[in-house]
Amino acid sequence: MINWFMSLDSTSKKLLYKALYTSPLMAVPSISPILVRFEIPLDIFLFAFVTQSFLVFLIWAINIWIIPRSLARLNERQLVLWRYVVSYACALFIFIIVREVMISWIESDSSPIEVVNLPSKDRPIPYYMIVLSFSINSVILIIMDLVTIQEKKAIADLENSQLKLKNAEIINMELKQQLHPHFLFNALNMLKNLIRKEPNLAEDYLIRLSNFLRVSISASKSNTVLLQDELNLCIDYMEMQKTRFGNTLDYAIHIPEEVVSAGFVPIFSIQLLLENVIKHNAMYKDAPLQIQVVYDQKEHRVQVTNNIQKRETMEDSTGMGLDNLAERYQLISGDSIKIESDEKVFSVSIKVLSK
């Protein structure tokens, strides 16, 4: 029995639950007029109640399992019509059979029940029997259709969510692997100049560039990385930018070691925030661009802050914008990035994930 129940699909389980608790509820109002009409004693009400509950549950079972299997070969349009025809016919047939059996049993000598004004088996089927079977079966069909519609909607919503997630993962993977050609051109051009003028510095620059490119190419393996790894990537990126821009760019990272070694963030998240600062701000020797990467202990967020020095032309970047980070972060963590700005300072923060 348990194995049979566990083998049912979610819709059948929900319908079975509905059948179990609605059968007694529908039994009471359906037998009350009959008890009054034929002056059936109250001492046999429990018997009538149990019998009618079983009868309603039987109609439930026929509608849930027997009719769908019997009409499985029909197409969808035929199934809609014949499902209702067969359902109402079966319900009426069951009520008639039960009526005949009950009358025969009560009339027999072995029956302990004595009923005044008992209808004869020779009497035509009373109209209330048709109305009763139609009413009970209609309620059952309405409940079944509502449950089925809700279940289909839930499945459709789940499939849509999974489809959106898969689509976002594909886009996310493509974006993580994307390296803006202008960024690569500038990096290689800088490397060429360093090789000619400062070979020792060029070696360090090449190591940092290779580390950055290696992470960019292999980034599709995971959506999140240890904060320590992300900060190492950021240091490589910022040191390359400092080599390019010199003293016009200054940065500092102040995050507790216990957070660095235990926290996780979406890959390229902090690096993208740093890149976004450089892209939108101008840099001067007498007014360098200052970037701070700090940790907010109260909100458990990494915050990237900079002084605002808007530039007229945009700096080339790796091609992954702040909007993409916001969407990617929402998909991964369910949280949103926090942006704050005034006339002098601009900051963006993301919550550190536990994994």
Side-chain angles (χ1 to χ4, degrees):
M1 187 68 178
I2 296 177
N3 292 335
W4 171 80
F5 178 78
M6 295 303 295
S7 65
L8 296 177
D9 57 65
S10 59
T11 303
S12 296
K13 288 180 181 178
K14 288 183 179 179
L15 290 175
L16 180 59
Y17 288 136
K18 299 285 185 185
L20 288 173
Y21 73 77
T22 58
S23 294
L25 294 177
M26 286 190 281
V28 174
S30 65
I31 62 174
S32 296
I34 302 175
L35 293 177
V36 175
R37 168 69 177 78
F38 297 111
E39 301 178 12
I40 297 177
L42 292 177
D43 58 355
I44 63 170
F45 174 79
L46 181 61
F47 172 79
F49 169 73
V50 173
T51 302
Q52 188 72 0
S53 297
F54 174 77
L55 184 60
V56 175
F57 184 80
L58 182 60
I59 297 175
W60 265 106
I62 291 173
N63 279 291
I64 296 173
W65 292 292
I66 297 178
I67 292 178
R69 293 184 179 181
S70 301
L71 305 178
R73 295 182 179 180
L74 299 179
N75 59 46
E76 187 173 352
R77 181 176 297 180
Q78 292 174 328
L79 181 61
V80 172
L81 173 63
W82 283 103
R83 174 192 172 218
Y84 289 102
V85 172
V86 175
S87 178
Y88 283 111
C90 288
L92 179 60
F93 177 76
I94 290 172
F95 269 90
I96 293 173
I97 293 298
V98 171
R99 172 183 179 272
E100 298 300 314
V101 172
M102 291 299 296
I103 292 175
S104 299
W105 178 67
I106 293 173
E107 287 180 340
S108 67
D109 297 334
S110 60
S111 174
I113 301 174
E114 295 183 3
V115 180
V116 180
N117 297 328
L118 180 70
S120 171
K121 289 195 295 181
D122 297 331
R123 287 180 57 185
I125 303 299
Y127 77 92
Y128 78 83
M129 189 66 66
I130 299 174
V131 173
L132 183 60
S133 66
F134 182 87
S135 301
I136 291 177
N137 197 61
S138 294
V139 173
I140 291 173
L141 289 175
I142 290 171
I143 295 174
M144 284 183 63
D145 287 344
L146 288 174
V147 171
T148 303
I149 291 172
Q150 290 177 349
E151 189 70 13
K152 287 182 178 179
K153 184 178 182 300
I155 293 173
D157 290 343
L158 179 60
E159 290 177 348
N160 287 336
S161 298
Q162 291 175 341
L163 186 61
K164 288 181 179 178
L165 182 59
K166 288 181 179 179
N167 186 51
E169 287 177 350
I170 292 172
I171 295 174
N172 185 30
M173 185 180 298
E174 291 176 350
L175 287 169
K176 286 190 298 183
Q177 290 180 332
Q178 179 182 354
L179 195 63
H180 198 285
H182 289 295
F183 170 82
L184 187 57
F185 172 80
N186 288 333
L188 294 176
N189 191 52
M190 186 67 197
L191 179 60
K192 182 184 70 173
N193 293 333
L194 288 174
I195 291 174
R196 287 190 304 177
K197 297 179 181 180
E198 300 182 62
N200 293 333
L201 189 58
E203 183 178 356
D204 180 67
Y205 187 91
L206 179 59
I207 292 173
R208 295 187 184 280
L209 178 60
S210 64
N211 290 338
F212 186 84
L213 294 177
R214 175 177 51 80
V215 175
S216 300
I217 294 171
S218 61
S220 60
K221 295 180 181 178
S222 177
N223 285 325
T224 60
V225 292
L226 194 66
L227 182 55
Q228 177 70 70
D229 295 333
E230 178 70 14
L231 291 179
N232 289 337
L233 177 70
C234 292
I235 292 172
D236 286 333
Y237 176 78
M238 290 304 296
E239 287 299 322
M240 284 191 294
Q241 299 306 313
K242 274 190 67 66
T243 301
R244 180 183 176 192
F245 295 108
N247 294 331
T248 62
L249 175 64
D250 188 25
Y251 80 97
I253 299 175
H254 301 289
I255 300 178
E257 182 60 35
E258 60 272 17
V259 178
V260 170
S261 59
F264 289 82
V265 292
I267 191 165
F268 285 115
S269 55
I270 302 176
Q271 182 273 331
L272 189 145
L273 296 179
L274 295 171
E275 179 183 294
N276 194 66
V277 173
I278 296 173
K279 179 180 178 181
H280 290 88
N281 290 274
M283 290 169 272
Y284 310 99
K285 289 184 179 180
D286 56 343
L289 177 61
Q290 297 178 344
I291 305 174
Q292 299 284 330
V293 181
V294 297
Y295 180 69
D296 187 334
Q297 189 74 37
K298 292 182 179 179
E299 296 190 5
H300 304 289
R301 285 177 171 269
V302 172
Q303 186 178 58
V304 177
T305 306
N306 68 276
N307 56 323
I308 298 176
Q309 299 182 157
K310 292 185 179 180
R311 65 191 306 161
E312 296 180 0
T313 58
M314 294 296 102
E315 172 68 20
D316 293 323
S317 67
T318 56
M320 296 182 285
L322 199 58
D323 291 339
N324 169 253
L325 174 62
E327 183 178 355
R328 190 157 56 99
Y329 191 75
Q330 178 70 34
L331 286 170
I332 294 172
S333 66
D335 200 358
S336 58
I337 64 175
K338 187 176 180 181
I339 302 175
E340 297 176 332
S341 178
D342 56 31
E343 293 181 357
K344 296 182 178 180
V345 178
F346 181 84
S347 70
V348 182
S349 64
I350 59 173
K351 196 167 186 178
V352 177
L353 308 176
S354 57
K355 183 52 176 172

